Amino acid sequence: MTETPGRGSAAPYISARTGQFRYFDRQLGRPGWPAKRVLDFGGNVGNLLLDPECTIRHGHYWCLDVIPEAVEEGRRRYPDATFLHYDRYNFEYNPGGTRRLPVPDLGRFDVILAQSVFSHTSKAEMRELVAQLRTFLTDDGVLAFTFIDPYFKPPPGWARAEEWPDLDNLRWRLASARRWQEPGMDVEALEAEATSARITWATLVNNEDFVLDSGGDWCREGEERTHYMVFCTEEHMRSVYPDADVLPPVQPERFSCAVLRRQP
């Protein structure tokens, strides 16, 4: 489950995004990757391995993703790595999958990474999946996942030029959606709604509705639409996971990061 610029479930999504390795390498303090057994949860085609500085051994790399075409392409690109299809239901990426399918037990991992996964799930599903993933960590292993703080605004010179560097994450995402996906969307009304609500956790559905934090799984069967994106403040993520290290973004990425250890 990897972030897509507005594509629904009608076509497979093969990610072209890069920079994942450099991001997690910095957030995790440059661990000794060659010795690490790594699970890339929602890793699409394995772009984590594309970075020329990446020192993860392909034989120590596992990718688990809900998009079968991405898994097949990953296998083609990296024959020494392990790519597996996780046939869990996701209305945007895998509408034919099995609802609440448990994460398969692939053994224990030193590092589990999830880039742009929980920006496409409900809070209830995030809690469920994170709890399962933590059981697959080694005793000193770490799980690191990204999330989007709506109010993070990059300092001057930080963001990529095409990312509206003078806008915070929420306004950048809205402006981008109007430009590339929904020319008629009422960005100003959505901004006003978000401002009046003071978001902690909220979901932008189909670039037209905000669903504020209900504490549960708002997206029930029959309510699915085309796509959605989740925003969560760093402060709120700390309240969800009090034992996490919640880290701010690192240049040039706008994602915050939560780092968790195996539960006792």
Side-chain angles (χ1 to χ4, degrees):
M1 291 182 282
T2 307
E3 184 181 352
T4 168
R7 293 182 62 173
S9 58
Y13 178 62
I14 303 300
S15 175
R17 185 178 183 87
T18 59
Q20 293 94 326
F21 176 78
R22 280 169 289 172
Y23 175 85
F24 284 118
D25 188 45
R26 292 178 65 185
Q27 293 287 30
L28 296 177
R30 295 179 169 83
W33 293 103
K36 304 296 185 184
R37 192 172 190 262
V38 178
L39 172 62
D40 194 1
F41 184 68
N44 202 265
V45 295
N47 286 342
L48 186 75
L49 302 177
L50 271 179
D51 193 304
E53 298 179 7
C54 179
T55 54
I56 298 171
R57 294 174 59 186
H58 291 194
H60 288 182
Y61 174 88
W62 275 253
C63 176
L64 194 62
D65 200 278
V66 300
I67 304 172
E69 294 85 356
V71 169
E72 289 301 318
E73 178 61 18
R75 288 171 178 164
R76 186 189 69 79
R77 294 184 186 183
Y78 306 107
D80 293 332
T82 301
F83 286 79
L84 297 170
H85 182 221
Y86 178 31
D87 197 20
R88 183 182 175 107
Y89 171 82
N90 180 279
F91 79 81
E92 186 174 359
Y93 294 104
N94 193 32
T98 301
R99 293 176 185 273
R100 299 186 67 106
L101 183 69
V103 179
D105 187 347
L106 304 176
R108 299 297 172 263
F109 293 91
D110 302 297
V111 182
I112 299 176
L113 306 173
Q115 170 91 14
S116 298
V117 173
F118 302 122
S119 49
H120 298 280
T121 70
S122 68
K123 184 188 289 189
E125 188 173 19
M126 179 187 74
R127 287 180 178 273
E128 175 190 350
L129 291 170
V130 167
Q132 292 180 42
L133 290 171
R134 292 179 79 172
T135 67
F136 303 136
L137 290 171
T138 58
D139 289 343
D140 58 351
V142 293
L143 162 65
F145 64 86
T146 63
F147 63 98
I148 305 169
D149 187 320
Y151 302 113
F152 172 76
K153 182 178 179 180
W158 172 301
R160 302 173 179 91
E162 68 273 15
E163 293 181 353
W164 281 274
D166 57 330
L167 299 180
D168 64 26
N169 276 343
L170 175 63
R171 286 160 180 80
W172 163 54
R173 296 282 177 167
L174 292 175
S176 179
R178 178 161 65 182
R179 180 172 182 178
W180 301 112
Q181 303 162 25
E182 308 285 349
M185 70 183 290
D186 193 343
V187 167
E188 291 73 22
L190 288 168
E191 287 181 349
E193 182 181 353
T195 300
S196 64
R198 184 60 192 177
I199 290 172
T200 56
W201 177 292
T203 308
L204 176 63
V205 183
N206 277 28
N207 294 323
E208 61 185 13
D209 294 322
F210 269 117
V211 178
L212 300 179
D213 182 15
S214 64
D217 192 347
W218 65 270
C219 187
R220 293 176 289 274
E221 186 172 359
E223 294 182 352
E224 300 92 336
R225 283 173 272 180
T226 303
H227 56 270
Y228 62 95
M229 180 171 292
V230 172
F231 299 89
C232 176
T233 64
E234 291 182 4
E235 180 182 7
H236 189 65
M237 189 61 75
R238 290 187 183 96
S239 73
V240 176
Y241 294 109
D243 60 334
D245 293 328
V246 176
L247 307 174
V250 292
Q251 190 178 16
E253 303 297 340
R254 289 176 175 247
F255 296 105
S256 300
C257 186
V259 181
L260 292 156
R261 272 77 182 173
R262 183 180 176 90
Q263 289 179 309

